[in-house]
Amino acid sequence: MEGQAEKLPNARQRSQVETKNRLMRAGAHLFSRNGSKKTTIKDIAMEAEVAVGTVYLHFKDKDALLDEILKTALRLLKQELGKISP
C-alpha cells in the first residue's frame, strides 16, 4: 500500500495508487469506528475526499474494499511478526 507510488513511472499511475491508498485509509478508519454494516460507500468517499464513483473505479463494492484492507493488514502483521520470531 504505502511506498508504492514512488516506484511507478508516470503521474497518472502514481495518482491512482495514492487515491486507492486514501480510500483504504478512509475505509479502515470508518470500518473500525462504525463497523462495516454502518459504513457506506458515500461515507468512505467523503472521508477520502473523492466522488462516490471514484470508489467504484478502485473497488467492486464495499466488501471488496474491506477485503483489501484486511488482506493488507494481515500481510503487514505477518511481516512484523516475522521480525520478532525466526
Side-chain angles (χ1 to χ4, degrees):
M1 190 162 91
E2 299 293 329
Q4 293 176 346
E6 324 59 75
K7 298 175 187 174
L8 297 173
N10 66 50
R12 182 176 180 187
Q13 289 173 321
R14 287 190 302 274
S15 177
Q16 288 173 338
V17 169
E18 290 165 4
T19 300
K20 184 175 180 179
N21 288 341
R22 216 164 60 234
L23 289 167
M24 289 180 64
R25 284 191 301 272
H29 174 250
L30 292 171
F31 290 141
S32 68
R33 187 177 76 193
N34 304 326
S36 62
K37 289 190 185 236
K38 291 184 180 178
T39 299
T40 67
I41 289 290
K42 183 179 177 183
D43 296 334
I44 295 164
M46 287 176 57
E47 178 87 6
E49 299 179 342
V50 299
V52 170
T54 302
V55 179
Y56 291 107
L57 289 174
H58 293 275
F59 301 98
K60 178 180 141 191
D61 54 24
K62 181 174 73 170
D63 291 336
L65 172 58
L66 179 58
D67 186 56
E68 184 77 19
I69 290 166
L70 294 173
K71 284 179 182 177
T72 299
L74 183 58
R75 181 179 48 79
L76 294 171
L77 178 61
K78 286 179 179 179
Q79 286 175 355
E80 290 302 312
L81 290 173
K83 292 177 184 177
I84 58 173
S85 62

